[in-house]
Amino acid sequence: MNSIKSKIYNYHQELIEKNKTITARALKNSYLGIEEKQIMLLDVFKTHNNQIKTLVGKEYALNTLKDMKQLLIIFNLL
């Protein structure tokens, strides 16, 4: 029991050092070796564009999709 308590304390310290929010879930995930998935803005934007593509003519105009694709090109250049 003491070894588990010690490991959790160490994970707590690591979260503090990384300026992470300390929650029960964060401690549990650290203990179990589950890493937090990082979602990149460009990936979110690509998914959004794909959703718009399926809705062109229903909820979005073709020009909206073209504008979003152009923004994605600009973001990739930055």
Side-chain angles (χ1 to χ4, degrees):
M1 183 69 169
N2 282 339
S3 67
I4 294 172
K5 204 179 212 182
S6 175
K7 287 180 183 179
I8 291 175
Y9 176 78
N10 288 336
Y11 292 127
H12 182 269
Q13 289 302 111
E14 286 178 21
L15 291 172
I16 290 172
E17 290 170 9
K18 294 177 182 178
N19 279 335
K20 300 277 185 172
T21 303
I22 299 168
T23 63
R25 176 173 286 160
L27 288 170
K28 179 190 84 166
N29 288 346
S30 293
Y31 182 78
L32 296 175
I34 300 170
E35 292 188 31
E36 187 177 304
K37 184 178 178 184
Q38 299 292 324
I39 301 173
M40 303 303 288
L41 180 59
L42 287 177
D43 293 332
V44 173
F45 207 83
K46 287 176 188 176
T47 301
H48 179 260
N49 283 358
N50 289 335
Q51 291 170 343
I52 288 177
K53 186 177 182 179
T54 63
L55 296 172
V56 167
K58 299 172 190 164
E59 295 181 31
Y60 292 95
L62 182 59
N63 283 337
T64 302
L65 179 60
K66 289 178 182 178
D67 291 344
M68 292 298 174
K69 285 183 177 181
Q70 188 63 35
L71 280 172
L72 186 58
I73 291 169
I74 292 169
F75 287 152
N76 277 315
L77 294 176
L78 297 177

